[in-house]
Amino acid sequence: MQKLHAAVTAVGGYVPEFRLTNFELEKMVDTNDEWIRTRTGIEERRILKEEGKGSSDLGAPAVLEICRKRGISPEEIECIICATVTPDMVFPATANVISDKIGAKNAFSFDLGAACSGFLYALSVGSAFIESGRYSKVVVVGVDKMSSIIDYSDRTTCIIFGDGAGAVLLEPNTEGYGIQDSILKSDGNGRQYLHMKAGGSVKPSTVESVLAREHYVYQEGQAVFKFAVKGMADVSYELMQRNNLSADDIAWLVPHQANLRIIDATANRMGLPKEKVMINIQKFGNTTAGTLPLCLWEWENQLKKGDNLILAAFGGGFTWGATWLKWAYNSQ
Ligand code: UT7
C-alpha cells in the first residue's frame, strides 16, 4: 500500500473588521508610520474589539469556512487541534469551545501552545494522526487574540501584533500529496527574552501583578530578532538540503509574519525571489499562531496541485521549525 500522507484539503480564515493603523498608533505611543514600516513592514493590524469575544470567536468562523468549502458537516470532524497562546480561558481548551460553537459534536479537541510556531507544531501533530491511519478528518486551527495580552502603552510591542485566525483540514492522501517532512525545534532558555511575567502558576494573578503591568507580552526585541533570523533561515535551509530541494523546486515560502526583515533573510538564505514569498504582514501584523494559515487562506486561489510549499516559523519558547507541504488541489 502507498504511504499515507496528510494533505491539506481546505483552508479557512477570519480576521476582525477593525483596522488599527500605524497612524492611529502614532496617537497612542511615541512612534511613527515610517519607523514601523521600515523596521517591521507593518501598516495596519486587525483588532477584535467586541467585549466578551475571544480567540474561539476568531477560530470558529475559520473552521466553518473549511466545512463549507469542503462540503462537510462539522459533525464529520474527528479532531480539532487549536494552536494558541491567548486561549479564551486558562481552561477549558479553546479547541473545546470552538467545537461547541460550531457543533463539532464528534470531535475530540485540545490546545497546543508553541507561540508563533504553534500552527507548525499542531500541523505536525495533526498529520501524525492522519498518517497513523486512525483518523481521516483532522482540523488544525492557528488563532491568537494578541490584543488581549498587549500593553498599548509599550511602543516596542504594541506596533507588532494583531488578531486573526486560520485553519486547515487534513485528510489522508495516497498519491504523494500532503506533508512530506518537518523539522521542529525548541529551546526553553529563550523564555527570558519573550514571555508573560504573571498569570501562570509561577506568579498567579494578583492586584500587584496587574498594577505592575505583568500580564502583557514582554519582549527583548533585538535579542529575539537575532535568534529568529538565524533560526528560521537555518531550519528552512536544512529542510531543503535533507530533501534535495533546490530553490527552483519550491513554489512558495510561507513564512511566519513577525518582521519583514526576518522574512527577507529567510528567503535570501533559501535563494528564493520575492515573488515566491507569501507576505501579508503589512495588513495583519503578527497574529502569532494565525500567521501561517492566514497566508494559506489568502493565497489559496493561486496554489496549484503539486506545488511545493515550505512553511517556516520562529517564536516564543524559543520554538521554531519548517515543514515541506506538497499542495493537493487546484482551487480554481
Ligand atoms: O513573533 C515572535 C517573535 N518575535 C519577533 O520575531 C520579533 C523580533 N524583533 C523585531 O522584530 C524587532 O527587534 C523590533 C521590531 C521589535 C524592534 O526593531 P529593532 O530594529 O530591533 O529596534 P530596536 O529595538 O533596536 O530599537 C531601535 C530604536 C531604539 O531607540 P534608540 O535606543 O536607538 O534611541 C528604540 O527605543 O528604535 C526605538 N524604538 C522605536 N521608535 C519608534 C523602539 N520601538 C519604537 C517604535 N517607534 N515603535
Side-chain angles (χ1 to χ4, degrees):
M1 195 182 118
Q2 251 230 297
K3 186 179 180 318
L4 273 185
H5 285 101
V8 170
T9 55
V11 186
Y14 183 80
V15 287
E17 287 294 310
F18 182 80
R19 294 159 196 257
L20 179 61
T21 64
N22 290 351
F23 299 104
E24 278 301 312
L25 284 167
E26 284 181 359
K27 296 179 208 157
M28 296 158 64
V29 288
D30 180 15
T31 190
N32 58 78
D33 172 58
E34 212 250 326
W35 192 97
I36 302 172
R37 267 191 296 106
T38 52
R39 297 281 181 135
T40 69
I42 302 168
E43 293 167 20
E44 60 182 37
R45 57 298 283 143
R46 301 298 184 95
I47 305 293
L48 181 58
K49 284 251 177 187
E50 291 120 289
E51 235 170 83
K53 300 248 170 178
S55 289
S56 69
D57 297 292
L58 301 168
V63 181
L64 283 176
E65 185 181 350
I66 283 178
C67 294
R68 185 178 50 72
K69 280 182 174 166
R70 191 74 182 118
I72 62 168
S73 140
E75 295 187 3
E76 291 175 58
I77 300 171
E78 295 164 303
C79 170
I80 298 179
I81 308 172
C82 179
T84 186
V85 289
T86 52
D88 283 17
M89 304 170 190
V90 172
F91 73 91
T94 298
N96 304 158
V97 184
I98 292 174
S99 296
D100 181 51
K101 285 185 174 169
I102 66 169
K105 290 184 178 10
N106 299 309
F108 73 98
S109 54
F110 62 94
D111 287 359
L112 184 156
C116 298
S117 311
F119 181 77
L120 217 50
Y121 274 45
L123 200 59
S124 244
V125 174
S127 70
F129 282 153
I130 297 285
E131 286 161 14
S132 75
R134 201 178 301 173
Y135 302 101
S136 59
K137 282 190 175 50
V138 174
V139 167
V140 177
V141 191
V143 55
D144 272 299
K145 183 188 166 187
M146 291 306 290
S147 61
S148 65
I149 55 167
I150 291 299
D151 180 352
Y152 285 95
S153 67
D154 174 7
R155 69 174 182 172
T156 67
T157 51
C158 75
I159 55 141
I160 300 171
F161 294 98
D163 303 340
V168 298
L169 177 64
L170 296 176
E171 294 185 84
N173 184 289
T174 51
E175 293 167 351
Y177 300 103
I179 289 160
Q180 308 291 314
D181 194 15
S182 186
I183 303 174
L184 301 177
K185 307 208 178 207
S186 54
D187 175 6
N189 193 38
R191 69 189 184 282
Q192 61 189 299
Y193 305 113
L194 183 51
H195 59 263
M196 193 199 289
K197 295 198 180 298
S201 57
V202 169
K203 199 172 195 184
S205 315
T206 57
V207 171
E208 288 74 26
S209 69
V210 171
L211 292 175
R213 310 185 80 78
E214 290 178 336
H215 295 267
Y216 296 121
V217 169
Y218 170 86
Q219 175 170 258
E220 293 179 26
Q222 264 189 28
V224 178
F225 185 89
K226 278 184 203 144
F227 281 103
V229 163
K230 184 164 165 29
M232 212 161 102
D234 279 358
V235 79
S236 305
Y237 186 69
E238 189 184 336
L239 190 70
M240 286 173 75
Q241 291 286 96
R242 92 169 179 194
N243 289 288
N244 293 318
L245 290 170
S246 71
D248 287 342
D249 296 325
I250 297 166
W252 294 99
L253 169 64
V254 191
H256 174 50
Q257 312 280 309
N259 188 312
L260 194 52
R261 291 180 288 148
I262 300 172
I263 297 173
D264 287 345
T266 304
N268 284 341
R269 182 77 189 283
M270 297 169 73
L272 292 179
K274 246 203 158 115
E275 305 78 66
K276 287 188 172 187
V277 186
M278 296 186 189
I279 297 171
N280 57 15
I281 191 171
Q282 71 282 1
K283 294 195 293 186
F284 302 143
N286 183 349
T287 55
T288 303
T291 59
L292 297 181
L294 276 173
C295 281
L296 295 176
W297 179 58
E298 284 220 307
W299 267 263
E300 186 190 19
N301 287 342
Q302 295 181 51
L303 299 178
K304 294 185 194 66
K305 193 171 179 175
D307 275 355
N308 289 313
L309 278 57
I310 302 290
L311 286 67
F314 185 96
F318 293 136
T319 56
W320 67 105
T323 293
W324 171 22
L325 169 65
K326 201 176 264 295
W327 200 249
Y329 60 98
N330 294 315
S331 298
Q332 288 183 322

